[in-house]
Structures are given as structure tokens and as C-alpha cells.
Amino acid sequence: MIKKINILILLMFVVNVCYSQKERKVTFVGGARSVMTNNRLVVNDTIAEDTSTAKRNTGGYALIDLGVNIKPNKNTEILGMFRIKNNFGGFWGSGVTFDVRQLYMKGVVANALRYQLGDLNLKQTAFTLYNHHADAIDSLPTVFNLQRNIVNYEKFYQKNTWRMQGANVDFGISFKNIIKEINFTGFTTRINATNFSSVPERLMSGAVIQIVQSNKLSASYNINSVYDVKGTVLDSNSFTNKVQSIDASYTTKIKENNLTIAAEIGNSHYAYSIDTLAPHLKDYFIHASASYKIAKYHTKATIGYLEVGPEFRSIGAQSKDINYNALPVYYDRYTNAQNIRPIALIDVISNDNIYNRTVSSKLLSENAWYNNAMPYGLATFNRVGAYGSIHYKKDIDAVVSYYNLSEIKGQGTFALQNFSILKCNAKIPLQAYLKTAKKLEVQLGTQMQNTNRTSTVEIENVNFKNTQYTAGINWEVFSNFELMVGLVSQNAIGTHFIADRNVYTEVTYFHQNKLDIQQQMKAVGLMYHFSPKIYLSTIYQQSKFVDGNKQFADFNINQFNIIYNMLF
Amino acid sequence: MKKNLSILLCAILFFSISCRKNKTQFDGPSINEIYSDFKIIDSFKINKDSVNFTNAETAVFSAKFNKIVDWTISIYGATSKATKIISGSSKQIDISNATWNGSSTVFPIFNTENCKAILRVKDLTDSFMVSTKIVGTKKLDGFMIADFETGIKTGWTKFAQTGANMDFQVKSDSIAPEGKKYLSMAGTVNWDWLIGLIDFPAKAYGTSPVFPLGTNPNSEYFNCLIYGVPSTNPSLVLFQFREDENENGTFDANTEDEYDYQVTVDWVGWKLISVKYADLGYLVNGVPATPKGNGLRNPNKLTKISMLHLANPNDGFASSKLDLMIFTQNGPLQP
């Protein structure tokens, strides 16, 4: 540890020398955060009072992310970011960690080709490489969003990107006639490193060739391939998952309104080279949508068609951000039997421990409590149907969307499951109606998912409902001082089936699952903004978990947080 | 506007018509079957009342259920107490998953005797039984190095230390996993790892200076049965394979390859050890090292095999037993 601190001091000295030069070749970027938490667990076990779990828990940490951005010349940029983290109670080595958080080099070759080496944030289309955040709550009240933003920062989530390590290049060619420009992007990243015996080196490579005909019309060819590098292990069996697609978008103006028609069609191939037990999964997808934006009414209406084959597999687009098999950070075991506590709403909102930073080679399991209809977002396999949405945005920002989908191939039966999703979310700036300068914003949201299957065999029937309600108020009481109140309620009730899948993603068994889960989170908080990038907040929140079927013991977690956060 | 909307409507119509529904198959096992009560549709049977495995005959079990279940067939030898276990997960038991070629799972190996086979289904208390008779035992295909049925063969070289409670003899009793005899090895040697050894030179089997093995190290398998004695310190059984690379009739330890395979006997009872010749390594005091010859595994140039019974001198008495040293081709021994 002392050696690492010495290296850091030396580095800072060198940087300081550079920094003091006339040209600003070196800048500091980063952030700092301090979180203090006080938790209390209440277990309502029907068998006996939980006398085995410590109910009070106090913790927290302070950390600084210190990034040094070096620009040795106008075409090159290097970023190295260190993290020093001290868990509360740690001092001089104990509980202190020192890590490299980010490292990349980027630049431009011959004023034409951009490159980046090291850490990359990558995204392609919704079916080739995309972090769908499928189980995220669309309208999360601000008091919870503060905690969710910490998860996003920790896991480098930037909209729908995945964090990866490798190399990326892109360049564009402009034309005078017919075609406006052609853009090319290509990358190679490492999914996992070999252990030189049983785990092969696994890479992901991708490319996008985009042809922009005009501001109205563009088309792209996208390819994403995950593959094992032969020779990195003695076993010559190698895995490949290749996804390719063509997408096109056409936008035209009709009077003052805009019509956009977009479509993407593609296929996937998922196979092992010599494993005779492994299936060769091949399938295709179609996604088409049309949006009409009516300027006069500040409204955009969208309708779409979605068809994703039952054997469509895409590691880049079907990786889940949440690992439901991970242990929660607080009270991972509870009850006298010390059972594993299920991943609850409080974990989904604020526990970065259960979130994945990058894509996963394995198809991670879904959790019907949070999303049964589209657990892998638009890339969920075995779905066909249509959707529509209306988005109004003036002072009020409101969206209503509806999905009507069904399976293409039955799961354990010829009868197909039907899915419907209704989402209504609104953000209402009451200050605009109350004629006050201080912000008073109300957030309201609901999501209802229904899954049904009606079969001639009663045991095969599915009737499952998943509902979610959110409400939040964000009131600027004084200048830069906000009061936040939030509520999230999540229920999962009914009967459905959980599929066991083998390593090849094939279904091997179905478990009937009867659920009656009711969860609720309530929070109240205060936040003071020192500047747009620095705030201090205190939050008190109550999380309640009730299982009507008593498969899990009921519990409440009450939590008091003090969060100081800054970015620079 | 109208033109654009027409295109859009046509596109939606096209996609709606083109959408596929797979009505001919479904993913995974049938839910109806999984959650229905277990029923046996075709009873548990064996296709032969008596079977002669010596003539490469096989016995086939059959049964049919109403759903996929985890099942196990245990075949017991009435006199030898040998056991063969066949298990699977399926709706049907047939030639594809329940064919018995006379081999054993739990030693000793089967003799000519009456056998009973019991079918057990997971989560079902009832079991189902059929009987058969072995009229000829399974032939052990391969090149036999030692089954100890005729004792220590002329041409083998035996060495045993003069420690306490020493035993390095061929014995005949009910423990024998194959035939009637096996090699018993035991003793306390507190000054050396070596307790005893036997050299098996190729010339003990004929005039050729090398064993009659093929050239492909991926096809040749060395097999041996080793018995772990309860309540003793773990024995180490080290096999050394020496190659006469220059084919001059002798092995030169400084210029020719020796390959080794060391087994820590940390179990109780008989266990089959099988190793592919290509997977053999070279060990110096148990640590992997680089062979001193051409580094190529040449089974066709194997001139001498040594079996060493070792134990940590600080641990005291060690004991194990050995039988059926045999080379097989294209796969491990199925005794």
C-alpha cells in the first residue's frame, strides 16, 4: 500500500510539473463521494422470530476518483483514473483500497481515423450490442434516482452502452453526389481471458458501416461476433455467436410535422465447433417502426412491429445488467435458517453489487418479479407482436406505451403465452402552473404486465400479473435546497413457469412458480446543491417485502443515508 | 402524406402476415408430462435370460414411462458381489441408453453367475427387478502386463525394502477384483520413500525389446486397478514408462525419454486408473520436468514399465493392492 501511495505522489509531482507549463496539456477530472448508511432489518418469519441475524448495520465509505487527462499533442489524449476508497472504520491500510478505475488512450491519425485503446463504452443496435436495462423502473422518483445514478457511475452505464476493454476505430468519407457520407466503426474487445487450461480466450468484434444518403435517409450494416481464439486452450472446441443486421431510417417532413420510418432485420448464429451435444441455433429478427411527430401538439406517436425468433441469440444484446444470482450487499442472509435474502426492490434501485459492468457469455436468468414480458428488452427471443406509444412533451412530459406480444414457439406445450405491457409515465412541473420560480415537480408512473396462457391441459395455464406504481415530488424549498419524496410499489401475483436452461441455453425443465410478492419503497430526502455537479443529500427510506405464499420470509429494511457527491 | 401512410400500412400488413408461429414443436420437456403422476407404460425387461459376454453379446434393458424421469439400473452379481450401475434421464429405457456389455462399475468384475437388475426411479419408492445369468464373462481386450494369476512372472524384477510389516506378495483371497489373485503391497520404511517395486521389461513377454503397442500415443491407454486400504497412510503408486528411442535394445536415462504417472491412493476399495499415453508426463521427485530424449511420446518404443510403491517415510505404515495392469486401444478399459 505504501509503495502504491509513493507511486501516486510521484505521478502527481510529474503531473504538477506538466500542469504548470504554459499550455494546458494536463487536466484533472474525476469525482468524489462519501456515503454513510444506517440500516435496520425487521424480519417477519412465520416459523420463529429471527434471532440469528444482526439487525442493525452501519457502514459507508469515502472515495475519490482522480483522473489525469493528458494531451501530449492536439491529436492524442490519455486518461488514467485512480480510485482511493476507504470504508468507514478503515485507516492506513485496513479497509483502504487503491485501484485503477479507467485507462484509455485515444486520438486521431492523419486527421481522418479516430482510435481509442483501453476502456471503451460500446453500443450498436438493439439486437447486436445494447444494454437494455430491461428491468429498470422507467419513472424513478428523484429521491431514488440519486442512488440509481451512483450505480450508473460505478458501472459506467452511459445510456445503453456496455463497458469493455479493447480497441475501437472509426472514420468517415464524405461525398459530393448521391451519397452524403459513409461512416465506418470497428472494434475488438476481450470478453474473458484464458486460464491456459479450460477457459479459452473469448473476444467480441463488431463493425458498423453506415451510409448516409441525406439527412432524410440512412442505412447501416451491423455485425457483432463473439468467438473463442483457437489455440488458447488445448480443447479445440470453440464457441461463436454471430449477429448481423441491416437497418434503415427514412425521415420526411409533412408540413411542419415529421414522419420517421425505421426498420432493422437480421439474424444470429450460435454454435460450438465440435461439441456434438451443442445445438446450432440460427434465427432471425425483424423490427420496424413508424413515428409521426406533430409539432403543433408537441406529440410524437409511434407504432412498431417486433418479431424475434425463438432461437435468436445475441450475447451483445441479451446480456442483462442485473445478476439475480448475486448476493445483496446488506443482509445477504436472514431468518434463523440464514436463508439467502431475495433480491428486493431496494437492491434493484441502489445496490451496485448486483449489477454487471459488461456483457456476459452466459444467458443470465430473468426475474419475473420485475419483468416477465420482455426480460431482455427488445432483443427478448421468442416474441412477436406490435407496440405503440404516444409521447407528449411541452411543460408536461408524458408517455403512454402499449405492447401486445406473444410467443412464436411454445415452452413445454404447444399453447403460446401472450404478453401485454402498458406503461404510463408523466413528469409534471407544477411550478409552471403555480407561477413560481422554485421547482415543484411531480412524477407519476405505472407499468402493468400481463402474461397469459390458456391450454386444454389445466396445469399448463399461465396467469401472471406484474404491476408497478411510482410517485415522486421534488420541491425546491429554498434556492438550491430540495425536498424529495418518493414511492415505488411493485407487485407480482399469479402462476407462471421458470425454465431451467443448460449451458447451451436450451430448456431442460420447467418449474411451476406461484407468486404473491408485494414490495414497496418509501423515501423522503433533502438535497442541497453546492453547484450543478456537487450536492449533499440525506435520505430516509423504508423498504417492505411481503410474500403472500411464504416462500420467503417477509422483511423490512429501513435505511438512513447521507450522500455527498461531486464531479470535477 | 397519403402515399407515406399507404407505404406504412402495407409494411405493417406485410409483417403481420409474415409473422410465424411454430405449431409443430415446443421448447423443453412437456409441462403436462412433468407435472403428471408417474406411470410405467411398458414394464421393465431384459432381452436375454442368459448372456455370454465372452462372445461379445450384450444385454439390453427396456422400459417406457409416461414422462421423463431420472432412473438407475443396478445390476448385482449373486456370487461375485460385482455391481454395474447404468443411469439416465429419459422417458424410455432401450438399446440407446441401457445396454450392458458385462462390465463392472463397482469391483470385483462379474463372474459366471446369476445376476439381478433393479430399476429405481427418482422420487418413487417402488423398484422393479429382472434376472439374468452370465454364462461367459467379458473378455478383456488389450495387452495384459500383469494380472498376477500366475504370481511374479519370470523376467519381472521385484525389489522390496526390509522395513517393518513388509508385504510385497501375490495373494489369493476374496478381495481379488479379477480372477483369483492380486499383488499386495505394504510396509513401514522410515528412511526412504520407496517401499517396493517391480520392473516389467518388454522382453518378459517375448523376444521383442519393445511392447507391442501402436505408434499413436492418443490411441494407447494404460489401465490398472488399485485398492486403497482403509485407515492407512496414503500410498503413492508411481508408474514409469521408459522408451528405447534409438532402438538399440537398452534405455539410456540421460538421452532417452522416460514418462511417469503418479497416483495418490486416497480412497478405499478398488478403483480403475486409466491414462492416455499422450497424457503422461515426466516427473523428477514428483515434480514435472522436461524429458531427456526427443520429448515425443512413442508407445511403440516402450521398453520397460516400472511400478513403484512409495509413501512418505515420516507417515509410517502404508498399504495398497494392485491388479490388472493392461494396455487398451482407443479408450480406457471397461472391465
Side-chain angles (χ1 to χ4, degrees), chain A residues 283-284 286 288 290 303 305 307 309 406 408-414 453 457 460 508-512, chain B residues 1 4-5 7-8 12 15-16 18-32 34-35:
Chain A
D283 220 318
Y284 67 88
I286 300 166
I303 55 169
Y305 172 82
E307 181 179 343
S406 78
I408 296 166
K409 191 177 186 185
Q411 301 295 294
T413 167
F414 290 114
R453 179 167 64 199
V457 181
E460 295 172 353
T508 54
Y509 199 80
F510 292 100
H511 300 272
Q512 192 183 46
Chain B
M1 173 72 181
N4 287 322
L5 284 175
I7 294 167
L8 184 63
I12 290 169
F15 288 131
S16 303
S18 69
C19 83
R20 57 194 163 145
K21 299 266 167 112
N22 195 327
K23 297 278 188 187
T24 56
Q25 54 182 326
F26 54 77
D27 276 342
S30 162
I31 290 172
N32 185 26
I34 291 172
Y35 290 93

Side-chain angles (χ1 to χ4, degrees), chain B residues 147-186:
Chain B
D147 62 3
F148 303 104
E149 294 304 308
T150 54
I152 302 292
K153 223 174 178 178
T154 312
W156 297 352
T157 309
K158 184 180 109 175
F159 168 77
Q161 299 269 26
T162 52
N165 302 314
M166 289 301 295
D167 181 12
F168 216 73
Q169 302 294 325
V170 173
K171 289 193 171 171
S172 175
D173 55 40
S174 60
I175 288 178
E178 181 271 336
K180 291 190 169 74
K181 294 181 181 174
Y182 63 91
L183 177 67
S184 178
M185 307 180 291

Side-chain angles (χ1 to χ4, degrees), chain B residues 76-191:
Chain B
Y76 301 104
T79 52
S80 69
K81 308 300 179 195
T83 306
K84 171 71 180 177
I85 294 169
I86 304 170
S87 58
S89 181
S90 62
K91 276 176 79 173
Q92 193 157 329
I93 295 175
D94 56 24
I95 192 167
S96 66
N97 53 19
T99 300
W100 182 36
N101 62 359
S103 60
S104 312
T105 308
V106 179
F107 298 103
I109 63 176
F110 284 93
N111 213 329
T112 49
E113 58 189 327
N114 290 324
C115 296
K116 64 179 178 184
I118 297 174
L119 169 69
R120 294 184 181 90
V121 175
K122 193 183 173 189
D123 299 328
L124 192 73
T125 48
D126 291 342
S127 59
F128 311 89
M129 193 180 84
V130 291
S131 300
T132 190
K133 185 178 182 181
I134 300 174
V135 293
T137 56
K138 186 175 185 294
K139 219 160 70 178
L140 298 173
D141 291 327
F143 182 77
M144 183 69 73
I145 298 157
D147 62 3
F148 303 104
E149 294 304 308
T150 54
I152 302 292
K153 223 174 178 178
T154 312
W156 297 352
T157 309
K158 184 180 109 175
F159 168 77
Q161 299 269 26
T162 52
N165 302 314
M166 289 301 295
D167 181 12
F168 216 73
Q169 302 294 325
V170 173
K171 289 193 171 171
S172 175
D173 55 40
S174 60
I175 288 178
E178 181 271 336
K180 291 190 169 74
K181 294 181 181 174
Y182 63 91
L183 177 67
S184 178
M185 307 180 291
T188 304
V189 178
N190 57 13
W191 67 91

Side-chain angles (χ1 to χ4, degrees), chain B residues 165-332:
Chain B
N165 302 314
M166 289 301 295
D167 181 12
F168 216 73
Q169 302 294 325
V170 173
K171 289 193 171 171
S172 175
D173 55 40
S174 60
I175 288 178
E178 181 271 336
K180 291 190 169 74
K181 294 181 181 174
Y182 63 91
L183 177 67
S184 178
M185 307 180 291
T188 304
V189 178
N190 57 13
W191 67 91
D192 195 358
W193 282 74
L194 180 67
I195 297 173
L197 69 83
I198 298 180
D199 287 336
F200 305 91
K203 283 183 178 168
Y205 303 88
T207 54
S208 172
V210 292
F211 286 92
L213 303 178
T215 56
N216 185 354
N218 286 301
S219 300
E220 302 293 336
Y221 287 75
F222 174 76
N223 310 273
C224 184
L225 293 177
I226 300 177
Y227 184 92
V229 178
S231 306
T232 58
N233 297 307
S235 297
L236 297 175
V237 178
L238 174 65
F239 298 98
Q240 297 175 329
F241 303 86
R242 297 189 178 93
E243 292 181 356
D244 177 17
E245 288 175 355
N246 58 12
E247 300 177 26
N248 66 353
T250 57
F251 168 74
D252 184 341
N254 294 318
T255 59
E256 293 179 306
D257 283 342
E258 174 192 312
Y259 294 103
D260 306 288
Y261 189 66
Q262 184 172 287
V263 182
T264 303
V265 187
D266 53 3
W267 61 85
V268 173
W270 288 105
K271 185 173 175 181
L272 173 65
I273 302 297
S274 293
V275 59
K276 192 159 59 172
Y277 199 90
D279 293 339
L280 297 173
Y282 175 52
L283 303 173
V284 175
N285 294 327
V287 178
T290 307
K292 292 181 177 172
N294 61 12
L296 301 172
R297 286 153 186 81
N298 303 117
N300 58 320
K301 293 183 178 174
L302 180 65
T303 186
K304 186 158 85 176
I305 302 167
S306 298
M307 187 283 300
L308 291 78
H309 182 225
L310 311 170
N312 189 331
N314 300 319
D315 287 349
F317 183 74
S319 175
S320 60
K321 304 176 195 308
L322 193 126
D323 201 359
L324 206 60
M325 286 171 60
I326 185 170
F327 268 104
T328 54
Q329 275 198 317
N330 303 318

